[in-house]
Amino acid sequence: LTYLHRDTYITRMTPAQAAQLRQEEELIRWLGIYQPAFRFSPRLDPLIRESRAAQQDEATDPQAGNAARSITLMVKLFPRVEPGSALEHAKLLGARIHREVEREDGATLWLAIDPARIPELAAIEGVEWIEEHSTPEKGNDVAGSLLFGGTVDNPATAPFGLDGAGQIVAIADTGLDTGEEDSATSAMHDDLKGRIRSLQSWEVNSLYYNATEDDGPADTDIGHGTHVAASAVGNGDRSSGAYAGVAPEAELVFHALEQLTECPSWCTKPLPSSCPREERCLALTGMPELSEELYQASYDEDARIESHSFFRCYNSASATWNHGLYTSYSEELDKFVWEHPDMLVLIAASND
């Protein structure tokens, strides 16, 4: 049915087939029923325990307690499972459905629910996997010291003679300088002007309170996206060639993902870890729920190299990091490059 990770597969077979496979001791370490307890991330266990303990406190107001303990989850269903029944069962558990997307490899649901109900949610027929939804966080904040500190050869004098000519590189990040259309008269950064093939701003996705709002493609905060793009394809024009990126002749496809995001105190939608409640702040909430939408948009613009200097590593509700874990987002990336073998996607390894 599907591949999990670390040589683990979910399959459907008859009891006779299972008995036969169990005899292959040199090939199979374990074979057994895919229990509901296997279907959710172990990072959710502390939240489940905390919520159950809170429920035992008679002084806790039920309504306020549910709101405080609500967590946004991504729930993946098995292929060919109709989501209708799973949605109804989830609602009976008190879940609030944020979004549903149906695909050939199974439907994906985003919902908010009391963590104490996660084991029951996992027991719903057709559920394959559950994990906490996480908003992308910026990374690669320290690359400047590597690129311009003398530890990486300047591409203009590199011994390989590669400058990115003929290549189209896609970057997804906060925003790009002024956000203006590329033209000879625009105020776009000189190191990028004339080679921007596409510049798209992605609106706040439907999981967040102010969904569909769009503040445009400009890099209005700390300039992270402009730094990343120039690190990749900047030609060094403003510094007379002293500080060029690694592919100064490549064209650029840019996806602006940083958007003003908010969630009032009564809001049950997810909130990025960098955003105080009841305040508007900038976060990468333009990132589509399904990463493949972003990869496909780049591919359709003829980009065959894509770089992301952000990662979905922090889970705000559980205050845990996913460094090194194989998550559903890892699976989406693997699936896309498997189906598009001419596409190379690079993800930052964080700042640590």
Side-chain angles (χ1 to χ4, degrees):
L1 296 177
T2 187
Y3 172 75
L4 289 180
H5 62 105
R6 296 185 179 179
D7 299 320
T8 304
Y9 295 84
I10 301 175
T11 65
R12 180 181 288 117
M13 64 184 70
T14 65
Q17 290 172 323
Q20 183 178 357
L21 282 174
R22 284 194 176 96
Q23 298 176 14
E24 303 289 343
E25 296 180 356
E26 294 184 2
L27 298 176
I28 298 178
R29 179 181 300 177
W30 180 86
L31 187 151
I33 300 297
Y34 189 51
Q35 301 287 353
F38 303 161
R39 302 179 188 181
F40 56 87
S41 169
R43 296 296 181 94
L44 296 172
D45 287 335
L47 292 176
I48 295 171
R49 291 194 296 268
E50 291 171 10
S51 184
R52 286 175 171 173
Q55 288 179 346
Q56 297 174 3
D57 185 353
E58 295 180 355
T60 301
D61 177 71
Q63 295 298 322
N66 287 338
R69 291 193 301 271
S70 179
I71 181 175
T72 300
L73 302 173
M74 188 183 72
V75 181
K76 192 173 185 302
L77 304 183
F78 281 112
R80 296 180 295 279
V81 170
E82 289 295 329
S85 177
L87 286 168
E88 291 306 313
H89 281 85
K91 290 176 182 177
L92 291 175
L93 296 176
R96 294 180 296 277
I97 310 301
H98 291 326
R99 193 184 178 195
E100 165 201 348
V101 175
E102 294 189 46
R103 300 186 295 179
E104 290 185 3
D105 61 342
T108 303
L109 316 175
W110 287 266
L111 53 84
I113 196 170
D114 187 324
R117 311 306 295 268
I118 290 175
E120 298 168 83
L121 185 68
I124 294 175
E125 184 176 358
V127 169
E128 177 187 327
W129 181 248
I130 300 172
E131 68 184 39
E132 183 180 350
H133 166 74
S134 57
T135 304
E137 301 284 344
K138 294 187 287 289
N140 189 30
D141 295 340
V142 296
S145 61
L146 297 176
L147 286 167
F148 306 136
T151 57
V152 176
D153 287 334
N154 189 316
T157 59
F160 304 109
L162 301 176
D163 58 11
Q167 299 298 313
I168 302 171
V169 178
I171 302 286
D173 212 282
T174 54
L176 190 64
D177 198 41
T178 62
E180 297 179 39
E181 291 292 329
D182 193 9
S183 69
T185 59
S186 77
M188 179 58 67
H189 198 293
D190 294 334
D191 287 17
L192 303 170
K193 188 184 295 185
R195 291 176 296 115
I196 302 172
R197 187 183 183 94
S198 171
L199 174 57
Q200 178 182 356
S201 180
W202 292 68
E203 65 184 26
V204 178
N205 79 46
S206 63
L207 295 185
Y208 298 95
Y209 171 73
N210 58 323
T212 74
E213 290 187 9
D214 187 349
D215 62 11
D219 202 4
T220 57
D221 192 18
I222 63 173
H224 189 272
T226 307
H227 150 70
V228 170
S231 299
V233 303
N235 62 12
D237 185 74
R238 186 171 291 185
S239 61
S240 300
Y243 300 124
V246 295
E249 294 298 323
E251 291 185 86
L252 175 66
V253 169
F254 195 92
H255 305 289
L257 305 180
E258 190 168 66
Q259 295 286 351
L260 279 171
T261 308
E262 66 176 328
C263 189
S265 58
W266 47 265
C267 168
T268 59
K269 297 282 189 175
L271 187 67
S273 60
S274 57
C275 289
R277 195 166 289 277
E278 297 190 40
E279 293 184 18
R280 291 173 67 87
C281 73
L282 288 165
L284 298 178
T285 49
M287 180 71 181
E289 297 94 322
L290 297 174
S291 304
E292 68 178 46
E293 296 178 18
L294 196 64
Y295 306 141
Q296 188 63 55
S298 300
Y299 195 87
D300 291 344
E301 288 284 351
D302 296 325
R304 295 297 181 265
I305 302 171
E306 177 149 355
S307 180
H308 293 181
S309 291
F310 60 83
F311 30 79
R312 293 179 182 266
C313 280
Y314 189 71
N315 302 315
S316 55
S318 57
T320 57
W321 292 87
N322 289 336
H323 292 307
L325 293 185
Y326 191 91
T327 67
S328 59
Y329 304 107
S330 310
E331 180 186 12
E332 283 186 39
L333 173 54
D334 279 350
K335 180 176 181 291
F336 188 86
V337 296
W338 177 264
E339 295 174 348
H340 302 78
D342 56 341
M343 181 75 162
L344 174 65
V345 181
L346 307 168
I347 309 293
S350 87
N351 294 328
D352 299 332

